[in-house]
Amino acid sequence: MDFDWDKLTDELDEVGCALTPPLLTAEQCTEISGWYDEVDRFRATIDMARYRFGSGQYRYFRNPLPPVVTELREAFYPRLLPIARDWAERLGRPAPWPDTLDEWLDDCHRAGQMRPTPILLKYQAGDWNALHRDLYGDLVFPLQVVIGLDRPGVDHTGGEFLLVEQRPRAQSRGTVTSLPQGQGLIFTTRDRPVKSARGWSAAPVRHGVSTVRSGFRHTLGLVFHDAA
């Protein structure tokens, strides 16, 4: 991941999300999208309408994770770790994240968060995802990644990624991103530091997906803490 991480870090500090250069080829994206119908790969399927999360479906991978999913998480973690620690310092919070992803997942497991959280999401026309946070337990990594697997404007229309930040003592700010095929969006999991009159304040952030107008939209979600 020989990216311009200074630029990505600046974007995360400015708006709470940052789009990466390509991570996957078109062929890899097609292959991963095709896994959705291979139900044995997954530990659970969530019908969003049933839980009033929106409309559509997503599936949590079971262990062992596909190699490409493991490789992506392991590659991102050490790059995101300095940002996580810096944000914690600004907010005067503990920074409990060790140097490696394996150590951090061991901490999650000792805390009872045993279930893998990487997900594959599938939307079709009319589907959407309500604003939410992917927390899953007391141990939370403050950044996560979603990777687009289809071509906006070709395979689907609509379905933009939404990020809404509740600013301190001000109205909320929304950011909309169309996910190019194979590229990832790094974004805030729970909250992030923003400058205030008293120094730094934690601005709560939620994310979701706008209504898909046509076609199908698949994404791969990488969360860096496991679930209780």
Side-chain angles (χ1 to χ4, degrees):
M1 289 192 177
D2 189 20
F3 305 153
D4 186 345
W5 282 98
D6 289 339
K7 180 176 182 292
L8 292 173
T9 299
D10 288 345
E11 290 179 13
L12 285 164
D13 279 336
E14 179 64 27
V15 294
C17 63
L19 194 64
T20 75
L23 299 164
L24 300 171
T25 66
E27 292 75 15
Q28 287 175 306
C29 291
T30 299
E31 179 184 5
I32 294 170
S33 296
W35 291 347
Y36 198 85
D37 295 326
E38 300 175 20
V39 293
D40 289 346
R41 289 184 178 272
F42 304 96
R43 66 172 177 84
T45 298
I46 304 300
D47 183 334
M48 287 190 277
R50 177 183 176 188
Y51 297 99
R52 303 188 71 182
F53 293 166
S55 175
Q57 216 180 59
Y58 57 88
R59 288 178 167 159
Y60 288 100
F61 286 97
R62 67 169 67 250
N63 282 325
L65 299 174
V68 67
V69 177
T70 296
E71 291 164 9
L72 284 166
R73 285 214 300 177
E74 290 179 346
F76 266 111
Y77 182 84
R79 296 292 191 170
L80 300 179
L81 182 60
I83 304 170
R85 288 173 171 170
D86 178 59
W87 284 8
E89 182 178 2
R90 292 190 218 176
L91 293 172
R93 292 176 175 175
W97 313 288
D99 290 341
T100 69
L101 179 61
D102 284 344
E103 291 175 289
W104 170 237
L105 294 178
D106 284 344
D107 289 345
C108 290
H109 299 166
R110 282 191 290 270
Q113 295 177 211
M114 302 287 293
R115 296 182 296 169
T117 49
I119 58 176
L120 191 58
L121 303 98
K122 179 181 179 181
Y123 300 83
Q124 60 185 5
D127 289 344
W128 57 282
N129 196 349
L131 295 174
H132 66 284
R133 296 164 167 169
D134 298 318
L135 301 181
Y136 302 121
D138 292 334
L139 297 185
V140 175
F141 194 77
L143 294 156
Q144 61 193 90
V145 180
V146 60
I147 301 172
L149 300 177
D150 299 304
R151 298 164 297 172
V154 178
D155 298 317
H156 65 84
T157 59
E160 295 85 2
F161 183 89
L162 308 174
L163 196 74
V164 176
E165 176 181 297
Q166 182 182 329
R167 298 183 299 159
R169 294 174 295 281
Q171 293 181 329
S172 297
R173 176 175 69 171
T175 301
V176 176
T177 305
S178 182
L179 293 178
Q181 186 179 52
Q183 291 183 235
L185 185 73
I186 307 167
F187 64 97
T188 309
T189 300
R190 178 172 57 191
D191 54 24
R192 71 185 195 92
V194 296
K195 287 184 178 179
S196 68
R198 300 178 182 177
W200 293 97
S201 297
V205 178
R206 289 176 170 79
H207 66 276
V209 175
S210 70
T211 302
V212 175
R213 302 295 187 179
S214 65
F216 289 88
R217 176 190 185 272
H218 299 79
T219 55
L220 173 65
L222 305 176
V223 179
F224 297 91
H225 47 269
D226 280 351

